[in-house]
Amino acid sequence: MSSQDIPEENLPAAQSAGHDEHGHGAVSVADDKHPFADPGLPPHEHRIQDVDERAAKRSERSVALMFTMSMLATVAFIASFVAIPVDKSVFIWPLGHISALNFALGMTLGIALFCIGAGAVHWARTLMSDVEVADERHPIEATPEVREKVFADFNQGAKESALGRRKLIRNTMLGALTLVPLSGVVLLRDLGPLPGTKLRHTLWSKGKLLVNMNTNEPLRPSDVAVGSLTFAKPEGLEEHDHDFQNEIAKAALMIVRIQPEDIKDKRELEWSHEGIVAYSKICTHVGCPISLYEQQTHHVLCPCHQSTFDLSDGARVIFGPAGHALPQLRIGVNDEGYLEARGDFDEPVGPAFWERG
């Protein structure tokens, strides 16, 4: 419905009176000093909500519905975060198999934020005043007159928003804006609980066999040649285990055989077996896996940031940003001739962390 279809006596008096005041439709005449005519503002057309209170009520209910949907989506976000297991996956076409938790959190939080924005836009387009006002530019500094005008405009805008009169919109909007920050508060749960001693210990313990990562078979001393590099894992840790990645990130080993006379560090020699030494594969800089070995110098290089460790001298750092040497695992041979651990690492593996000391 346009303003042409509405009798003039039904139009809001303040808005109809403002046509001339705001210069709607006024056109100045071009002359030598001002060669371009000022077209002014187009004639203002009233919306259906301006003249029909039932239409205004429908818009009010629509806005309130969107704010209410935002509140429900926020509650669903919190419920999903608590109820859905982290490792649960679902099939959603065409995305395929994806994390059920990530999908639920993304959808609910997206709906919550979208409904707040859509409700605010619909409120502004249908219920707030849409009269265009032309105002002259003014200096940047605020004069007393400008401040007085700003306060007057603010009060007028607050009055035209009908926030006090449209209580349903006000209450549902406040509810949506109050609940949606709870999504961020709930996410703080991922900051805890504290790791405790989990970062200080690995799966290695006394008597656990060293298993070759490639063949998945226990290692004998004869399997490790001088100058070779072998990667090992603890006995009992399998790739199909649900916590495999977390555990191997702490327990992965490098096995190197060095001539005993070439080992410079006394403790390293005592913790080895016939020159076979076992060191953590996890770089002490940022936790990258070390995989480059130079057999003449017995140096290993981290490919991420080039930290270099000397495996013949306690795996001390000789180059790069790593802060401390690689932890060594004490090893020996069991009655069946297989290499086994004599215990866990005597210090945490990988990068330093805040409570390490």
Side-chain angles (χ1 to χ4, degrees), residues 59-75 111-124 127-128 161 163 166-180:
S59 296
E60 181 180 7
R61 287 192 294 268
S62 298
V63 174
L65 176 63
M66 283 183 269
F67 288 155
T68 303
M69 289 176 61
S70 174
M71 289 189 284
L72 295 176
T74 300
V75 173
I111 292 173
L113 297 176
F114 173 80
C115 286
I116 289 179
V121 169
H122 190 62
W123 180 12
L127 294 175
M128 293 185 184
S161 70
L163 189 61
R166 309 283 182 183
K167 295 182 178 180
L168 181 60
I169 289 181
R170 180 191 64 192
N171 295 338
T172 52
M173 180 191 69
L174 293 177
L177 294 177
T178 301
L179 284 181
V180 77

Side-chain angles (χ1 to χ4, degrees), residues 48-58 60 165-166:
I48 184 64
Q49 290 85 359
D50 296 332
V51 296
D52 188 346
E53 185 59 24
R54 290 179 300 176
K57 286 291 185 182
R58 286 195 298 270
E60 181 180 7
R165 186 162 60 93
R166 309 283 182 183

Side-chain angles (χ1 to χ4, degrees), residues 74 77-78 178-187:
T74 300
F77 175 94
I78 298 173
T178 301
L179 284 181
V180 77
L182 293 180
S183 304
V185 174
V186 172
L187 291 176

Side-chain angles (χ1 to χ4, degrees), residues 54-316:
R54 290 179 300 176
K57 286 291 185 182
R58 286 195 298 270
S59 296
E60 181 180 7
R61 287 192 294 268
S62 298
V63 174
L65 176 63
M66 283 183 269
F67 288 155
T68 303
M69 289 176 61
S70 174
M71 289 189 284
L72 295 176
T74 300
V75 173
F77 175 94
I78 298 173
S80 300
F81 195 89
V82 174
I84 300 178
V86 176
D87 56 354
K88 182 178 178 59
S89 63
V90 293
F91 179 82
I92 299 179
W93 187 89
L95 302 177
H97 289 280
I98 60 175
S99 169
L101 179 60
N102 289 347
F103 181 78
L105 295 181
M107 286 295 295
T108 53
L109 185 59
I111 292 173
L113 297 176
F114 173 80
C115 286
I116 289 179
V121 169
H122 190 62
W123 180 12
R125 291 178 63 88
T126 60
L127 294 175
M128 293 185 184
S129 174
D130 70 333
V131 177
E132 297 183 23
V133 179
D135 200 358
E136 296 295 332
R137 293 185 179 181
H138 53 78
I140 296 178
E141 63 271 15
T143 63
E145 293 79 9
V146 170
R147 290 196 296 269
E148 183 179 351
K149 184 178 185 303
V150 168
F151 286 121
D153 291 345
F154 177 82
N155 293 332
Q156 179 65 22
K159 181 179 178 181
E160 291 177 350
S161 70
L163 189 61
R165 186 162 60 93
R166 309 283 182 183
K167 295 182 178 180
L168 181 60
I169 289 181
R170 180 191 64 192
N171 295 338
T172 52
M173 180 191 69
L174 293 177
L177 294 177
T178 301
L179 284 181
V180 77
L182 293 180
S183 304
V185 174
V186 172
L187 291 176
L188 295 177
R189 192 185 76 165
D190 274 355
L191 298 179
L194 295 177
T197 61
K198 289 189 294 185
L199 298 179
R200 298 182 179 273
H201 303 288
T202 70
L203 288 182
W204 291 109
S205 61
K206 186 176 181 179
K208 282 220 172 182
L209 299 180
L210 278 63
V211 177
N212 190 308
M213 286 284 292
N214 295 323
T215 65
N216 210 33
E217 296 292 335
L219 285 167
R220 294 179 181 271
S222 58
D223 297 330
V224 185
V226 175
S228 66
L229 175 65
T230 305
F231 299 126
K233 65 180 180 178
E235 174 190 14
L237 182 61
E238 303 296 339
E239 292 190 10
H240 54 74
D241 295 340
H242 76 280
D243 59 346
F244 174 79
Q245 297 297 339
N246 289 332
E247 295 300 338
I248 199 63
K250 296 185 294 180
L253 279 185
M254 291 186 299
I255 311 296
V256 176
R257 191 164 200 161
I258 305 173
Q259 295 292 354
E261 59 270 19
D262 292 337
I263 297 179
K264 307 171 187 177
D265 185 81
K266 181 179 179 180
R267 194 188 78 161
E268 177 181 359
L269 183 60
E270 293 175 352
W271 283 22
S272 67
H273 176 77
E274 298 177 355
I276 301 174
V277 295
Y279 281 100
S280 170
K281 183 184 176 182
I282 309 305
C283 180
T284 56
H285 177 218
V286 292
C288 295
I290 299 173
S291 58
L292 303 176
Y293 175 60
E294 210 289 312
Q295 57 179 309
Q296 280 76 30
T297 60
H298 309 300
H299 293 170
V300 288
L301 175 71
C302 176
C304 292
H305 305 97
Q306 287 70 57
S307 292
T308 307
F309 306 86
D310 186 356
L311 295 189
S312 67
D313 191 12
R316 66 182 180 89

Side-chain angles (χ1 to χ4, degrees), residues 300-352:
V300 288
L301 175 71
C302 176
C304 292
H305 305 97
Q306 287 70 57
S307 292
T308 307
F309 306 86
D310 186 356
L311 295 189
S312 67
D313 191 12
R316 66 182 180 89
V317 182
I318 60 175
F319 179 79
H324 51 276
L326 297 172
Q328 183 181 4
L329 184 70
R330 188 171 187 174
I331 61 174
V333 174
N334 65 9
D335 296 338
E336 298 178 356
Y338 291 106
L339 291 172
E340 66 175 9
R342 298 301 193 194
D344 198 359
F345 292 102
D346 68 332
E347 60 178 313
V349 302

